[in-house]
Amino acid sequence: MRKRRATLFVVALAAVAAAAPGLASRVAAARGAQPAETPRQIIDITAERFAFTPSEVKVKAGTALEIRLRSDDTAHGFHIVGTDVDIELPKRGRGVATVMFTPKAGRYTFECSRLCGAGHEFMRGVIVASE
Ligand SMILES: [Cu+2]
């Protein structure tokens, strides 16, 4: 009984392979094409009382941004206004916070979202995404 089941399984696999000879290669082609369709870019931003550097980032709309954030002093936050992007940056030397963001065309203000001192409210910047 066990042997018969195994044989049936092999036959079924062979039938699937015969029925869809191009399927596997089509899937592979689609995967291979994806990076070309969605450009990616790494953006490094440093936070320090009371500024982000750089405070202006210019990118092409539709680019998948990998934003890597590092603090040069205390813990800060990084919030892109109008989006759900809001992460905490660890203190200096405690690592890098990374977040993905793919902007449409437009201007996106980002700000510190963790009370870090007297100039906290001035910690702002902008991502400008153009077509
Ligand atoms: Cu702050």
Side-chain angles (χ1 to χ4, degrees):
M1 191 65 176
R2 186 173 265 188
K3 190 179 177 187
R4 185 160 168 238
R5 256 194 209 151
T7 307
L8 278 176
F9 182 66
V10 169
V11 170
L13 273 183
V16 167
L23 188 60
S25 58
R26 278 204 301 274
V27 168
R31 281 200 186 130
Q34 208 154 13
E37 289 164 9
T38 307
R40 299 171 69 89
Q41 188 176 341
I42 293 171
I43 307 285
D44 285 299
I45 298 177
T46 301
E48 187 177 14
R49 291 189 183 106
F50 294 101
F52 288 103
T53 306
S55 60
E56 183 176 279
V57 177
K58 291 182 175 176
V59 297
K60 200 171 181 321
T63 303
L65 306 177
E66 180 182 331
I67 304 173
R68 303 193 303 199
L69 298 133
R70 189 170 66 81
S71 172
D72 249 355
D73 46 34
T74 189
H76 292 282
F78 179 80
H79 173 224
I80 301 177
V81 178
T83 76
D84 58 4
V85 172
D86 191 351
I87 58 167
E88 185 174 314
L89 288 60
K91 287 180 184 174
R92 177 189 177 123
R94 300 265 176 89
V96 176
T98 299
V99 66
M100 296 298 299
F101 177 58
T102 305
K104 294 177 180 159
R107 291 174 63 87
Y108 298 84
T109 297
F110 58 82
E111 61 186 14
C112 181
S113 55
R114 186 188 163 111
L115 199 55
C116 56
H120 165 71
E121 287 170 35
F122 303 111
M123 284 189 72
R124 289 176 158 257
V126 66
I127 296 170
V128 181
S130 52
E131 295 284 3

